[in-house]
Amino acid sequence: MKYASAIESPIGKLTIIVDDGSVAEITFAEKDIEGLMPDELTLAVSQQLQAYFDGKLQIFDFPIQQKGTPFQHEVWQNLLLIPYASTISYAKFSAHNPLAIRAIAVANGKNNLAIVVPCHRVIGSNGKLVGYAGGLWRKQWLLQHEREVAQRGQTTLKF
């Protein structure tokens, strides 16, 4: 069964979609959720996202399950290991499989769980912000927000 909620955030409207008891999507993209009702989980996710934006939450603790290949799931699991308020370059993120750097970047771009699976924490090797489906301005905002909340971290790599 599918459920949905939409919330306003400091960086735009977020749509939350739950499918079969797990969060399947959190997206900035416009989604037609007409006919879908909120449930306990979408409301809990809304509260956790609000706490994140308020600077009171750094780790999410609800069930997630997005559709993807085994390779994409591996990349998304690795994204979850990037600490709050930290960044990592695509080269370092793919160091365990350097020949797959482009495939890893593509899988990163197919992440449907914005903020929660923190693809915004992966940046270019030169320290530039690259490739965020929600727009680079949102990526910059998220990184800056996390840095300010944690009072550490950086939004670009420094050499």
Side-chain angles (χ1 to χ4, degrees), residues 44-150:
V45 172
S46 297
Q47 289 174 341
Q48 286 192 32
L49 285 167
Q50 189 58 55
Y52 168 87
F53 287 116
D54 290 344
K56 297 175 182 170
L57 182 80
Q58 297 180 8
I59 299 171
F60 299 94
D61 67 355
F62 45 79
I64 59 174
Q65 184 59 50
Q66 57 181 322
K67 293 181 180 165
T69 67
F71 179 79
Q72 289 169 329
H73 281 277
E74 179 185 337
V75 170
W76 300 331
Q77 277 302 126
N78 288 335
L79 288 170
L80 292 169
L81 301 175
I82 303 170
Y84 183 88
S86 298
T87 57
I88 188 171
S89 71
Y90 273 101
K92 189 169 182 183
F93 185 68
S94 62
H96 67 286
N97 193 354
L99 295 178
I101 190 168
R102 287 197 172 125
I104 289 169
V106 169
N108 194 20
K110 294 201 183 277
N111 171 32
N112 287 319
L113 293 169
I115 303 166
V116 174
V117 176
C119 58
H120 61 278
R121 297 181 189 151
V122 184
I123 62 176
S125 295
N126 61 359
K128 301 261 188 219
L129 301 184
V130 295
Y132 190 64
L136 290 180
W137 71 273
R138 283 188 176 110
K139 183 173 190 161
Q140 176 66 43
W141 192 96
L142 291 166
L143 293 172
Q144 186 66 29
H145 170 70
E146 290 181 5
R147 185 190 64 77
E148 289 172 5
V149 168

